[in-house]
Amino acid sequence: MIGESREALLRVTPWGVSGRLTRVTGLVMEAVGVKAPVGSVCGVMLPDGQMLDAEVVGFSGDRLLLMPATDVYGIHPGTRVVVLESTPPPPQPGHPVHLLRRRSEDHVKQVPVGPELLGRVVDGTGRPLDQLGPLRLAERVPLYSRPINPLNRAPITQILDVGVRSINALLPVGRGQRMGLFAGSGVGKSVLLGMMARYTSADINVVGLIGERGREVKEFIEQILGEEGMARSVVVAAPADTPPLSRLHGAAYATAIAEYFRDQGKNVLLIMDSLTRFAQAQREIALAVGEPPATRGYPPSVFAKLPQLVERAGNGMEGGGSITAFYTVLAEGDDQMDPIADAARAILDGHIVLSRQLADAGHYPAVDIEASISRAMPALLSSDEFDRVRRFKRLYSRYQRSRDLINVGAYVRGSDPEIDEAIAMYPALEHFLRQGMDERVDVHESHAQLVALLESRHELAA
């Protein structure tokens, strides 16, 4: 609705002239006397002349179920409701079959996009939050678009440089790949995301801060992303204090912006923090409209919404742009079997796990190499590079499994040659996995350092 007046948007549709609110229960408002399809945008007319946006999220008989996009203060019984944006009405009985049209993108919610978004911070509707002046965006795209036909997508064949040594060398990410970043609270998740946003070789960053603390939004932009990262980034912020509908729209809007730049032929890095908060917003809405909970309090619609969002990222057509996505997944209590974490692991192309044990030991980034995997790695690495990654992981894992015996002095040197080698190399392996937040290590340098490390194993073992 950027650059448009309320009067211009206010139009009566054949669905119904206007209605009245009869009930407000928690997050849901009920209206009668007005008809509109699910997904339509309605306006709730407040006594002071202002209008509150609400979206139709369901219906029961002749009652519409509305979810507000902002706070509901000032609403009273009988408040007038009008339709602002809606799809066309259904055909009347006897309507010729040949005139029926399939659903098109022209009849779904549209959001503003454009190159002017670069360097800006907006909310889930495109309104600026950075006090840098209004945005005049002439182009519009669907908020909820359909994923590209999987047979038309370009395959993942090129590595995207993220500037982090452990990821570039041991968990390579391909252009168009969708990765999960699994972490509890306070293990360096935001710092790692900021490093990737600043150091990536992608043309454009789109950052969706969904459901996070409001304080963290400014900190992420100013202290972690910085001027270097912000110059080629778009930030969509829908903090935790916004209604669940705004959080859902924020995640969808960030994805729509990434799709817009991908269709311009750009390689986009989409960072969404977090996928868990997106799922929780959908849970709030689903429970409010009466959907029964299924798995640990999550209704079935939550698990249907996750792939619909994630599948929109990825490569475009052959020779076109790409969206490489990182979705953070909050492991509640560091439980990697949380329902959302488990569902995300199944639909993403790999996962990077951040370990609290490593973070507590001052090991940053706290990437747990043993628990992390990139499913596109075989297509991105040569056979020699792949063998080096396996060799590194095998030595690191042998040391970790024998750590207790080594620490108490129960292991006798010479009992297992591979453990002897792992003990000798472990300090170098651990140093390889550490990296300062102001240090950038590109893909070629990462692989060169891995080669040098493994070639020095005989000297270290001696």
Side-chain angles (χ1 to χ4, degrees):
M1 299 181 184
I2 306 302
E4 300 181 50
S5 66
R6 283 291 185 190
E7 291 74 14
L9 286 171
L10 183 59
R11 57 186 177 85
V12 176
T13 72
W15 283 99
V17 179
S18 67
R20 302 287 176 181
L21 285 183
T22 60
R23 184 177 180 182
V24 177
T25 306
L27 301 174
V28 179
M29 302 183 294
E30 296 183 9
V32 296
V34 62
K35 295 182 179 180
V38 173
S40 299
V41 178
C42 294
V44 180
M45 312 294 289
L46 299 179
D48 60 2
Q50 297 185 14
M51 185 182 293
L52 182 152
D53 281 354
E55 183 173 314
V56 180
V57 294
F59 56 86
S60 178
D62 61 349
R63 296 179 296 118
L64 282 186
L65 304 180
L66 306 174
M67 186 74 67
T70 56
D71 294 325
V72 296
Y73 299 119
I75 291 178
H76 59 81
T79 299
R80 185 184 175 209
V81 178
V82 295
V83 178
L84 297 180
E85 296 177 358
S86 174
T87 60
Q92 300 299 318
H95 197 286
V97 176
H98 70 277
L99 293 180
L100 298 180
R101 296 196 301 173
R102 297 178 65 88
R103 178 180 182 181
S104 71
E105 293 183 350
D106 294 334
H107 299 147
V108 297
K109 186 176 179 64
Q110 304 280 313
V111 289
V113 294
E116 298 85 359
L117 284 168
L118 288 175
R120 301 300 301 268
V121 183
V122 297
D123 65 8
T125 63
R127 287 190 285 261
L129 298 175
D130 50 15
Q131 300 178 346
L132 296 179
L135 278 166
R136 306 289 182 182
L137 303 173
E139 298 182 75
R140 287 179 172 269
V141 297
L143 179 62
Y144 294 98
S145 66
R146 297 298 181 185
I148 298 174
N149 185 325
L151 298 182
N152 294 336
R153 288 186 186 271
I156 299 173
T157 57
Q158 294 179 289
I159 292 179
L160 179 74
D161 186 359
V162 295
V164 180
R165 180 171 47 231
S166 57
I167 298 176
N168 280 341
L170 305 174
L171 300 165
V173 178
R175 288 183 181 176
Q177 190 170 351
R178 296 159 299 193
M179 295 286 287
L181 189 61
F182 290 69
S185 58
V187 295
K189 165 178 54 71
S190 297
V191 174
L192 180 58
L193 292 175
M195 289 174 64
M196 290 191 290
R198 291 197 309 272
Y199 303 145
T200 181
S201 61
D203 301 317
I204 291 171
N205 301 318
V206 179
V207 182
L209 301 177
I210 310 301
E212 295 301 308
R213 292 181 289 272
R215 172 185 60 83
E216 291 185 334
V217 174
K218 188 172 184 178
E219 286 184 1
F220 184 88
I221 294 169
E222 295 183 355
Q223 300 177 17
I224 297 176
L225 196 58
E227 293 184 8
E228 177 186 1
M230 193 63 201
R232 52 173 175 163
S233 299
V234 182
V235 177
V236 179
D241 61 334
T242 57
L245 195 62
S246 297
R247 282 173 263 151
L248 279 188
H249 286 176
Y253 187 34
T255 306
I257 294 172
E259 290 174 322
Y260 167 78
F261 285 113
R262 178 187 62 189
D263 294 342
Q264 306 295 316
K266 304 293 186 182
N267 293 313
V268 182
L269 177 64
L270 171 63
I271 294 174
M272 191 163 296
D273 187 14
S274 69
L275 193 64
T276 303
R277 303 301 187 208
F278 170 84
Q280 290 173 347
Q282 175 60 26
R283 177 175 65 178
E284 292 178 42
I285 294 174
L287 292 176
V289 298
E291 186 178 352
T295 306
R296 293 198 191 178
Y298 286 96
S301 63
V302 172
F303 302 99
K305 283 278 188 181
L306 289 176
Q308 290 175 6
L309 178 72
V310 169
E311 285 295 326
R312 292 171 61 183
N315 281 332
M317 305 292 188
E318 287 279 1
S322 65
I323 301 175
T324 307
F326 281 88
Y327 299 94
T328 66
V329 180
L330 303 178
E332 300 293 345
D334 295 325
D335 178 14
Q336 298 299 326
M337 298 311 293
D338 175 83
I340 300 304
D342 202 33
R345 194 180 293 108
I347 61 178
L348 294 171
D349 302 324
H351 50 271
I352 297 172
V353 178
L354 299 187
S355 165
R356 183 172 301 279
Q357 183 179 3
L358 291 174
D360 290 343
H363 184 296
Y364 292 104
V367 177
D368 187 343
I369 291 299
E370 293 180 282
S372 305
I373 188 172
S374 172
R375 293 177 179 169
M377 184 167 64
L380 300 173
L381 299 180
S382 65
S383 58
D384 289 341
E385 291 171 335
F386 195 76
D387 287 341
R388 283 193 287 270
V389 172
R390 289 191 297 181
R391 180 64 178 166
F392 183 102
K393 287 188 173 183
R394 186 162 60 247
L395 289 171
Y396 187 84
S397 181
R398 288 304 296 269
Y399 182 89
Q400 295 296 339
R401 289 201 301 269
S402 306
R403 176 188 286 272
D404 291 340
L405 291 175
I406 296 169
N407 288 342
V408 300
Y411 175 75
V412 179
R413 184 178 176 88
S415 301
D416 187 322
E418 192 169 55
I419 294 181
D420 291 341
E421 185 180 0
I423 293 173
M425 293 195 64
Y426 184 74
L429 299 178
E430 189 177 39
H431 178 74
F432 182 86
L433 295 175
R434 294 189 178 192
Q435 183 176 333
M437 63 177 297
D438 297 323
E439 177 186 1
R440 182 184 189 277
V441 185
D442 63 29
V443 169
H444 300 294
E445 188 178 355
S446 299
H447 284 287
Q449 292 181 11
L450 179 60
V451 170
L453 171 65
L454 295 178
E455 286 181 350
S456 67
R457 66 183 185 275
H458 299 300
E459 299 176 9
L460 294 172

